[in-house]
């Protein structure tokens, strides 16, 4: 998995959300680096949990912002978030069972692709609406 690097084309036009997306990418990179370095179970587990916690916080923040903006596609957007949270909890459960072996290149690639595709797809679609409403 190549390191995720935030760039201007990821900007959804809301500074706080851009910063949160950058932090999610940084946590995923840290997980990747930890896996490559063979970091011990506790450190890798901590990073995985930090990514989960931060992602949940970000989704909640974003969903509240979309609700404030009366974004018409809120429900569908929330469903995309919920689907990732289910997947990420499954990774966490797998981690509880087998330890660091649960954190693999395919798992990290899946997360990296999901984050990139979601930002460039669903998140980007609210950009003009949120900017028009001026709630950011
Ligand atoms: Fe989103
Ligand atoms: Fe987002």
């Amino acid at each position: 998995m190549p390191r995720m690097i935030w760039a201007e084309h990821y900007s959804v036009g809301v500074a706080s959300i851009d910063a949160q997306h950058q932090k999610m990418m940084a946590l995923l990179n840290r997980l990747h680096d930890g896996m490559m370095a063979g970091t011990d179970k506790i450190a890798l587990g901590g990073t995985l949990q930090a990514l989960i916690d931060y992602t949940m916080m970000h989704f909640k923040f974003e969903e509240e912002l979309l609700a404030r903006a009366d974004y018409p596609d809120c429900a569908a957007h929330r469903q995309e978030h919920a689907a990732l949270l289910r997947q990420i909890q499954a990774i966490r459960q797998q981690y509880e069972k087998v330890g660091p072996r649960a954190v693999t290149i395919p798992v990290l690639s899946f997360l990296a692709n999901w984050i990139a595709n979601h930002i460039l797809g669903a998140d980007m679609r609210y950009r003009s609406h949120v900017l028009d409403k001026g709630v950011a």
Side-chain angles (χ1 to χ4, degrees), residues 58-59 62 77 81 118 123 126:
H58 165 64
F59 285 173
E62 201 174 74
H77 199 116
H81 288 172
H118 181 79
D123 284 357
Y126 66 61

Side-chain angles (χ1 to χ4, degrees), residues 7-24:
E8 205 51 41
H9 70 276
Y10 284 115
S11 177
V12 296
V14 182
S16 53
I17 289 192
D18 285 347
Q20 290 171 12
H21 288 157
Q22 287 169 30
K23 171 86 175 170
M24 285 166 70

Side-chain angles (χ1 to χ4, degrees), residues 50-118:
L51 178 65
I52 293 171
D53 292 345
Y54 196 83
T55 301
M56 289 176 75
M57 185 283 291
H58 165 64
F59 285 173
K60 189 164 179 284
F61 182 96
E62 201 174 74
E63 287 166 14
E64 284 171 4
L65 186 126
L66 295 182
R68 277 204 308 282
D70 292 318
Y71 183 57
D73 222 16
C74 247
H77 199 116
R78 237 196 296 267
Q79 274 173 22
E80 279 202 30
H81 288 172
L84 180 77
L85 288 179
R86 281 195 298 274
Q87 301 250 29
I88 216 170
Q89 296 294 357
I91 295 167
R92 176 77 215 182
Q93 279 163 15
Q94 188 63 13
Y95 187 88
E96 295 302 328
K97 269 194 238 154
V98 304
R101 276 181 296 140
V103 182
T104 62
I105 294 282
V107 164
L108 293 172
S109 295
F110 162 78
L111 292 173
N113 285 330
W114 193 94
I115 291 172
N117 289 335
H118 181 79

